Amino acid sequence: MTLDDRQLSELLDTAAGILDGASTQFVAGHRADSAVAKKGDDFATEVDLAIERRVVAELQRLTGIGVHGEEFGGESVDSEMVWILDPIDGTFNYAAGSPMAAILLGLLVDGEPVLGLTWLPFMAQRYTAIVGGPVRCNGDELARLERGDVGDAIVGTGTFNIDSRGRYPGRYRATVLANLSRQCSRMRMHGATGIDLAYVSAGILGGAISFGHHIWDHAAGVALVQAAGGIVTDLAGEPWTVTAPSALVAAPGVHEQMLEIVAAAGNPKDYL
């Protein structure tokens, strides 16, 4: 399915208005307590649930497009068109009182991100992009990403437990970060994947690694990074898709160097 620039622009404007409305609720609920326990030590707050219900209802009513959200699921991610929503990215930060939390919303058409919206309400930052670019912050057009060097970049990575197992064991992640630190001493752990990806699109970070696979963490940010001229793959260097097991996003040049550093850590299975 193809949407023209006018249709995409109208959808972006509608979605932005919905997220603006939800931002008041987002800010008011800061330091919210856990409401729902999830896998591992993850949880959702009542604000997560309320914002997802609100945004889903308004998106469906105003755009007629189904929504797949982190908390309640919904429309299949394989649908011809589907909104992908994370009502609070960085839930631990949000509940603890940190401002590093965001609302993430992306639109997939035939599995490809065509719109990205990342709202950081506590910092009054609103990142938006339509496929093909440019990326905008609060309506102002940002420069496209230029070729860079990992040694000059700030690199974002996800938090982890050294004893964790799974697809990317904790010891594997630690090795990747150790190797990165040898070439890039400017490492950051924001605890919010969507913020890392938005900051790559804005040129704040030169690159970022997400060891996770959740589509709601990636959809909005992948759209932003691609619109900015950045490169998005999984950790093995394969093109990012909605089923990708991870994400490595970076400016040109930085991405190639980061892939080499990741590859030097070897096979994640060897760390189990």
Side-chain angles (χ1 to χ4, degrees):
M1 182 173 188
T2 302
L3 297 175
D4 61 32
D5 289 345
R6 179 187 60 80
Q7 291 171 310
L8 288 171
S9 181
E10 289 176 353
L11 287 170
L12 180 64
D13 288 345
T14 299
I18 292 170
L19 296 194
D20 282 344
S23 292
T24 300
Q25 188 174 9
F26 186 100
V27 171
H30 209 197
R31 292 183 177 272
D33 293 331
S34 170
V36 178
K38 296 163 69 174
K39 185 177 180 180
D41 61 354
D42 199 4
F43 66 91
T45 71
E46 287 289 359
V47 186
D48 286 86
L49 308 180
I51 289 178
E52 182 160 322
R53 291 189 189 100
R54 172 180 181 162
V55 173
V56 167
E58 293 186 10
L59 282 171
Q60 290 177 334
R61 178 173 61 86
L62 295 176
T63 72
I65 300 171
V67 185
H68 184 92
E70 176 181 5
E71 307 305 337
F72 299 112
E75 190 78 11
S76 170
V77 298
D78 296 326
S79 299
E80 189 175 33
M81 284 198 301
V82 57
W83 293 104
I84 305 294
L85 171 66
D86 186 345
I88 300 181
D89 176 49
T91 304
F92 277 96
N93 291 346
Y94 183 83
S98 166
M100 299 302 288
I103 307 174
L104 313 179
L105 182 65
L107 179 64
L108 301 181
V109 175
D110 296 327
E112 296 293 329
V114 297
L115 293 180
L117 300 91
T118 297
W119 259 228
L120 284 66
F122 298 119
M123 288 174 277
Q125 293 176 327
R126 304 158 72 251
Y127 291 97
T128 60
I130 297 174
V131 61
V135 176
R136 299 180 184 274
C137 182
N138 297 343
D140 296 328
E141 184 174 329
L142 303 182
R144 283 182 66 80
L145 299 179
E146 297 182 356
R147 190 170 186 83
D149 185 276
V150 71
D152 299 323
I154 302 174
V155 174
T157 62
T159 56
F160 66 96
N161 182 325
I162 192 69
D163 294 323
S164 65
R165 297 174 68 81
R167 183 181 284 109
Y168 301 107
R171 292 192 303 114
Y172 168 79
R173 301 184 191 197
T175 300
V176 169
L177 300 191
N179 291 347
L180 266 172
S181 74
R182 294 186 177 96
Q183 297 192 42
C184 169
S185 61
R186 305 172 184 88
M187 307 293 294
R188 299 291 183 269
M189 286 187 178
H190 294 126
T193 301
I195 292 178
D196 283 347
L197 271 58
Y199 279 1
V200 171
S201 77
I204 297 168
L205 298 179
I209 290 175
S210 168
F211 294 103
H213 66 280
H214 296 304
I215 183 63
W216 51 80
D217 286 332
H218 295 155
V222 167
L224 292 172
V225 173
Q226 290 179 334
I231 301 172
V232 183
T233 65
D234 65 15
L235 292 185
E238 296 298 322
W240 183 89
T241 67
V242 296
T243 59
S246 54
L248 195 163
V249 307
V254 177
H255 188 276
E256 295 96 305
Q257 293 172 304
M258 287 180 64
L259 269 183
E260 292 177 1
I261 293 168
V262 170
N267 190 331
K269 294 180 180 179
D270 294 338
Y271 291 80
L272 289 172

